[in-house]
Structures are given as C-alpha cells and as structure tokens.
Amino acid sequence: MSSTSPATTAPARPVTAAAAPQRKSTLHRSEHRWAAAFVAAPVIGFLLFTLFPLSYSVYASFTSWNGLSAPRFIGLDNFIAIGSDPYFRKTLFNTFFYMLGIPIGLVLSLLLAMALSRKLPGRTFFRTVYYIPVISSLAAIAILWQWAYNGDYGLVNQVLHLFGIQGPNWLQDTATVKPAIIIMSVWKGLGYSMLLYLAAIQSVPKSLYEAAELDGAGSLRKFTSITLPMVRPVTFFLIVTNIINGSQMFTEINIMTPTGGPEYSAATIVWYIWQKAFKNLQMGYATSMALVLGVLIFIITAIQMRMNARNAFSVE
Amino acid sequence: MQTLKQTRSRTPMKARTRYTITNIWITVLLAIGAVVMIAPLLWMLTTSLKDKEGVFALPPEWIPNPAHWDTYLRIWTEGPLASGIKNSLIVSLSVTVVGSFVSALAAFAFAKMRLPGKNGLFLLLLSGMMIPFPTLMIPQFMMFSRIGWVDTLLPLIVPGMFGNIMMIFFLRQYLTSTPDSLIEAARVDGASFPQIFFRMILPLIRPAIAAQFILWFMGVWNDYLAPTIYLNSPEKLTLQLVIANFNSNYAIQSDYPLIMAASIVALLPIFVIFLVFQRQIIESVALTGTKA
C-alpha cells in the first residue's frame, strides 16, 4: 500500500478523437458522470461507516461517555487512565502472546506446502482435509475446542491419557489457557497459509531448481536459495494479515473463556474493549482504547510495509 | 561423451527411487497430520450422537452404540435454530448479492473509466481497510442505536450493501488485464456504459465475482462479533449466536450432545458450499495471497 507508482489512467485516446475537441469533452463529461455514479456507493459507504465513525472515535476518546447521556469532554483523562490500567496492559500482553502462534503456523504450513507440492497419491484429499478447519465457523470451532480442552473427559486429555499423561484443565489454568488457545488457532489457520504457500511454490519456475541441481545444490541449498526467497511475498502477506487479525481476536475468547479466563489470563484487548463498552457502558474509555489499538495496528502495518517495500503491492 | 551419457541415465533412476521412498515417508506424516486435523471434528460428530452419559465414557467411544439421532430432532425445539438459519441467510445473501453488484460496478469504473482523481479515491478506500472494525464499532453502534436499528438485522446488512473494498480491489486487478480496445469498440458502436457493464464486463468477470462472492458469503455467515453487539432477542439472532447460546445454556445441564449437534448443523451449509465450489474457493484464496 505504501509504494504507489503514479497510476496510469486509461491509455491515450486515438488521435482521431482529438480532431473534434468539443465532442470529446461532452463524451468525457458523460463518462465522468457514469464513473462517479458507479463508484458512489463504496465512497458513500466509506464516508458513512468508516470516516465518520473514525472521526467520532477521536472525539469520543476525549470524553466521559456512557452511551446514554451526552459525552462530556474530559481531555486526556482516558488516555492517562489507560496508562495505569493493569487490565489494559494484561489484555494487550495476552493479545501479543497469542501471536507466538504465527511463526509456529508459518513453519508448519510451509513444510506442509512443500510436502504437498510433490507428486503424492491423495494430494487433493490432504489439501481438503487440512483446509476444512479454515472454512469452519470460528464460533463452532471455539465451542468444539472448549469441550476438547475439558479437564475430565475432553478429547485432548483423553488422547494424552493414552500416553499415560494426566492433562491439566486447560482453560481453567493460567499457565495452560494461552497455549491452549494458540494450539487451536494454529490448527484452524494451518490450511490457509498452506494453500498460499502451495500456490507460491507451484509458481516457481522448474528451471530454477534444475539449474541449481546442475550446479550441484542439495535439497537444503535449493530450499534456502530458491524456495524461501520465492515464497517471501507470501510470508510477508501472511505475517501482516495474521498480526492484523490476531490483534482483533475476540470470538474464541468470548466463547471459550466467557469471563476472560482465570484472572483475565485469556482476555484479549478487543474482548476487554467490548466488555468495557457494552457491558460496563464506559463508551468513552472503551473508544480511547479502541483508538490506541487502531493506532498500534496502523504502526505495525506501516513498519512492515516499509521493511518490505519491495513486496508491497502497488496500484497499477 | 560415453561417460556423460551413462551418468545421465543412471542418476535419474537412483533419484527416482529416492524420490519415491521420500514420498512414502511424507505421505505417512501427512496422514498422521490429517488425523490430527480431522479428529476434533469427528469427535464433535460422535459426541453429538451419544447420550448424555456416553460423553463421559473412558476410553471414548468413536462409534456410539446406539447412535442417538434424535438429538438432531431435539435441537430444533430447544433453541431458535431455524430462525437463526433464516436470519443468517437473510444477512449473508442480501449483503453479498447487493454488495457484489455494487463492488463490480465500482471495480469497472476504477479499472476502465475516466474519472478525475479516481486513483486517489481508490487509495482512500484502500486505506479504510487498514482501520480495524473494533476501532469503529462503538461509534457505529451508537449511530445505529440513534436511528433505532439495534436488535434488527439492518446494522449487519446495510454497511455491506455499499460494497467491499477487498472485492473491488480483486475485480479491478482482474479487469486491468483485459484490453481497453474491447470497451473502445463498444463505445464506437454506440453502447452506453451501463450496457457495456451488463453485456461485456459482467459476463467477463463472472468467475472472479463467483469466487469472491463465495468467500464473502462464508465470511458474513461465520461472523460473530458484529451480531454479538447488535442482536439481543432470541428470534433475531444469527446462527453463530444461536449455537453460542446453546453452548452457554446447555453446559450447566452438561447436554454436550445437544451443543455438538447444533454446532454440526451450523457447520454443514458451509461444508456443502465448500465441497461444491472447492476449486473456485481454493483458486480465489491462492490468488488473493499471491497477487496481493
């Protein structure tokens, strides 16, 4: 999004059109009108549902507001309160902690994609199986895993039992609740990254590998010198989207740990914002937290875009 | 020359055997992984067929005997499952049908029509994608509450009807690869822009629309946060909220078969869509990630 080459609009008109300048301008005017009409809906939608709420957020974040009576201007008080809110710090920490699943998922899905890029029997079958969790609704998946993590008769502990391990009560224990949710997230997202990596690997020209083989490159060398650089744009895309999505984690927390987990150890920042806004009716405070989150996400995205300027997509 | 020919013919043979052996190992590992991926879902299915006590059996029964199919009849009366499906359909279909049409129109204009400042406008819309929903949800909620739309499906439907910038972006990319001369020719023949859109562009980008449509439909169908904010009355809930409520209401009675059966029903429509449109979905996802 950062590198935008000067957009070339439609190519130059045929020279003949220039012969009748007056007709051309009326033609253009009608084209402009139609084009404006065609893009009107998304632009109005943007103004109504993005720009206006965003501006109101900025205003509301400086107010004390319960959503019922009018917002009362209180200056920077909300932001000062955020600075000393232990729950804000805790839920922000949790949100970033969950992102440990991102590198795990990337490595696993790259391995999977490399395996599936070989001529294996049942390739399509495996691809489908690994992709099924991706299309499943997160709410249903969260319900499923909530009971799979049950300490007494959940699937996870039943499997561990086969190996003679007495598993914990995953979601009720401050030490295991976060790893449990990470495992679930990796399981759910694996198929998606696998698919993107698979597409990238399959688009690598075979001649590259053949040339490397002629030069005596082994499998590891081929992987580090060809595959890894060639899938770099996908890795970048996945890291950015995973961080953006990860910072907005809500569904699985709200369903699996309805009270935010033991001592808020599972709660994410969006869950906390939702709790403050719609349960405690501290709309002003929640808005300022949401704004901080928005700015954080923006900064992270901007840094990554800059670091990977070469990979960023450009308009046109 | 002779030796070169020999080594050439020998190495592929050796390499091929090695390749096959590696393949066998990889297939075994993939199969183990596949079991891990699918086991939780199978467990969900078998749990839905057990009786309340069977859930606690150790070791777990993978094929419940007898299977309690009646749970699947019970879910329809124990919660507003039918109205949940209806509401989810209303929301997903109206958003995606209207939204896709609107997005296609905009994509056509952004890709192929002259409009002063259109690229700046497009970038502005794209930048809107960088603002996460949680940042906007509170003022949006207050907006809709002011006009009395809370606890109706409208806040979930109306914003989507204004199009989807991801889809516009995708269709625009798709359209830039088509030659301008086609449209020029149609213009010379006296076709108006709506005519060009309906007769040429729409048929041309139909596969791209179909792929994006399915992805968007699944996204709206599976959405949870926005419905959680806006809906309260049982008969207004979308399917995701209905099953989430099953989960919290029946946990106390430890009626896990009921919870699991309801969740299975929530998953099924999307599974069917996925199996039917698997190729389009997979291609479209792959394109989104690699072309971005």
Side-chain angles (χ1 to χ4, degrees), chain A residues 7 11 13 31-32 41-42 49 53 57 65 67 118-119 128 130 135 137 144 146-147 153 158 187 196 254 290 316, chain B residues 19 23 30 33-34 37 40 56 60 114 119 132 134-135 139-140 142 162 172 180 194 222 224 240 247 256 278 285:
Chain A
R13 279 225 131 188
E31 180 166 356
H32 293 169
F49 303 116
S57 270
W65 182 32
R118 300 168 73 97
K119 289 186 188 64
T128 308
Y130 284 94
I135 55 144
S137 94
L144 159 62
Q146 186 185 9
W147 301 117
Y153 45 81
Q158 286 178 350
W187 176 87
L196 296 194
N254 197 38
E316 219 87 40
Chain B
Y19 190 78
N23 271 359
L30 278 176
M37 296 308 282
F56 305 98
R114 288 181 187 79
N119 287 297
T135 307
Q140 269 192 20
M142 293 313 296
F162 285 84
R172 182 181 171 277
D180 290 322
N222 289 338
Y224 177 81
Q240 306 305 326
N247 188 39
Y256 303 112
Q278 197 179 358
V285 168

Side-chain angles (χ1 to χ4, degrees), chain B residues 262-279:
Chain B
S263 307
I264 293 266
V265 170
L267 289 180
L268 268 182
I270 295 293
F271 277 174
V272 173
I273 293 177
F274 175 65
L275 289 179
V276 174
F277 297 103
Q278 197 179 358
R279 227 193 56 205

Side-chain angles (χ1 to χ4, degrees), chain A residues 173-233:
Chain A
D173 191 324
T174 49
T176 53
V177 63
K178 277 194 281 285
I181 288 173
I182 290 177
I183 292 171
M184 185 201 89
S185 309
V186 170
W187 176 87
K188 170 110 170 66
L190 205 54
Y192 179 74
S193 349
M194 170 205 77
L195 201 63
L196 296 194
Y197 272 133
L198 193 56
I201 289 173
Q202 282 171 344
S203 67
V204 178
K206 288 273 181 297
S207 55
L208 276 183
Y209 289 108
E210 281 158 14
E213 266 168 46
L214 283 181
D215 291 342
S219 322
L220 187 68
R221 190 59 209 270
K222 277 191 284 181
F223 174 73
T224 54
S225 304
I226 302 174
T227 314
L228 222 46
M230 290 302 273
V231 300
R232 219 171 74 101

Side-chain angles (χ1 to χ4, degrees), chain A residues 138-151:
Chain A
L138 189 51
I141 292 301
I143 293 170
L144 159 62
W145 279 87
Q146 186 185 9
W147 301 117
Y149 278 132
N150 187 293

Side-chain angles (χ1 to χ4, degrees), chain B residues 171-187:
Chain B
L171 296 179
R172 182 181 171 277
Q173 295 285 88
Y174 196 90
L175 270 173
T176 33
S177 61
T178 64
D180 290 322
S181 53
L182 272 175
I183 293 159
E184 300 278 337
R187 288 295 291 157

